[in-house]
Amino acid sequence: MYQEPHGVDQAKAAPDRRARERRPFRQQRRPEERVRILGEIVDLMRPEEVLLHVERCVEAGRRSVVANHNLHSLYLLPRTPGMRRIYDLADVVELDSTPLIHFARLLGLHSRPFHRCTYLDWRAHFWSLADRKGWRVLYVGGADGVAEQAAARVSQRYPGAVLKGMTGYFDATPGSAGNEAVLAEVRDFRPDILFVGMGMPRQELWIADNIEALPNAVILPVGAAFDYEAGVQKAAPRWMGRMGIEWLFRLFADPKRLYARYCVEPWFLIGPALKDVREAWARRKKKR
């Protein structure tokens, strides 16, 4: 099911972001804004800069992968065969972790709180762009009916965007009938933006496995983005994200599923973190 643009009650439509005062941001990247943390490359970019990249790729009709790193992905990466491929494919790797931003700052890197980027950080800006520019947005993920419900709700607020939602419950094995059917639907829809929300690492593996069969779109793994839009999951207040305690909100909301992610996995990153600290200390000693 997809929602073509249609008339809506403008009183219920989202306010036009163009009327708001905006902070200036650079439109060209600097070498020092691509850094290595815990052994992995990330881009220190504001949400506005990520969306500028997205906009330019859509206008050029160019395929681009925008990946992201957080503590969970850094834990999974050496333990999940094939997951690294998406980071090799990615043009941009967002930093989706306030603790990692603070850690990068401790290392002497040029990180700031506004470098935290995740779907919830740029959703309003994204949908404003999609609405004004008539982008075709496809979301693959979530339980049966959730993505379709989310597409219907979002299209009421942003009628200029063309939306489609597809379930993430299918056989994602490369070459399987279910996977081929999903790929055919994706190609038929011709998205400008392809959101993949199957959870980490399944979404990253699916993108990497099927990259050559996907259309020229901007492809982003976005986890439970449309669960939030459908109202089946509640998003943490953004102030909690800025303070670095969003994980606490999510842990209390779903402790059985998330306990290991937030209370066990970070301990496995102490080794790489200590290595980063030693290297940063050595750099500082050299400068003296």
Side-chain angles (χ1 to χ4, degrees):
M1 169 188 133
Y2 69 88
Q3 304 291 327
E4 294 285 355
H6 58 280
V8 297
D9 182 352
Q10 292 301 315
K12 297 180 180 179
D16 191 338
R17 295 183 74 262
R18 289 172 292 180
R20 302 178 190 173
E21 183 178 353
R22 301 198 188 171
R23 296 176 301 177
F25 63 90
R26 286 191 296 277
Q27 299 197 10
Q28 299 295 329
R29 309 302 304 139
R30 292 181 177 178
E32 63 268 25
E33 291 168 334
R34 169 157 277 212
V35 302
R36 187 178 294 273
I37 306 173
L38 302 183
E40 299 302 325
I41 296 294
V42 296
D43 294 296
L44 299 177
M45 298 175 70
R46 294 185 180 190
E48 297 92 339
E49 293 167 334
V50 172
L51 292 182
L52 177 64
H53 170 80
V54 169
E55 186 177 1
R56 286 173 171 172
C57 289
V58 171
E59 289 174 352
R62 180 167 69 87
R63 182 195 295 154
S64 180
V65 175
V66 178
N68 66 83
H69 264 315
N70 52 35
L71 294 176
H72 184 48
S73 68
L74 292 170
Y75 169 82
L76 289 174
L77 195 56
R79 296 167 177 82
T80 308
M83 186 174 173
R84 180 168 296 283
R85 290 174 297 159
I86 192 170
Y87 297 101
D88 292 338
L89 291 167
D91 298 298
V92 170
V93 182
E94 298 176 307
L95 184 50
D96 171 18
S97 170
T98 299
L100 282 178
I101 287 172
H102 294 322
F103 181 64
R105 183 79 169 156
L106 177 68
L107 298 177
L109 303 175
H110 298 275
S111 64
R112 298 290 187 277
F114 53 64
H115 287 134
R116 184 181 189 274
C117 287
T118 184
Y119 174 78
L120 292 175
D121 296 315
W122 45 251
R123 73 198 282 199
H125 187 175
F126 171 83
W127 288 113
S128 175
L129 280 171
D131 181 52
R132 288 185 279 113
K133 294 179 176 293
W135 286 350
R136 301 178 66 83
V137 182
L138 174 61
Y139 179 91
V140 180
D144 291 347
V146 171
E148 293 88 344
Q149 179 182 347
R153 291 181 64 170
V154 172
S155 68
Q156 289 178 355
R157 291 177 60 82
Y158 301 97
V162 184
L163 310 183
K164 181 176 180 178
M166 296 171 57
T167 180
Y169 283 66
F170 61 92
D171 181 0
T173 305
S176 69
N179 195 61
E180 292 302 313
V182 168
L183 289 173
E185 281 196 64
V186 171
R187 288 191 294 267
D188 287 346
F189 183 72
R190 297 175 290 106
D192 298 304
I193 308 293
L194 174 59
F195 286 144
V196 184
M198 303 178 187
M200 190 177 281
R202 187 171 183 254
Q203 59 195 14
E204 285 78 13
L205 295 174
W206 186 81
I207 292 169
D209 285 341
N210 298 285
I211 189 66
E212 294 304 324
L214 295 173
N216 287 338
V218 182
I219 305 166
L220 304 96
V222 290
F226 267 34
D227 284 2
Y228 299 133
E229 301 298 357
V232 299
Q233 274 196 51
K234 186 176 180 180
R238 298 323 302 141
W239 64 265
M240 297 188 78
R242 291 190 293 271
M243 291 184 64
I245 57 173
E246 184 173 350
W247 65 273
L248 196 59
F249 178 95
R250 299 189 67 200
L251 179 61
F252 274 98
D254 194 353
K256 184 175 180 181
R257 184 173 69 89
L258 297 175
Y259 175 81
R261 179 184 300 189
Y262 293 129
C263 300
V264 177
E265 291 179 7
W267 293 99
F268 288 85
L269 301 175
I270 290 177
L274 290 175
K275 181 181 178 183
D276 280 359
V277 171
R278 287 194 298 268
E279 291 176 352
W281 181 254
R283 288 194 301 271
R284 287 173 183 172
K285 286 182 69 176
K286 272 188 177 181
K287 290 179 179 178
R288 290 175 183 172

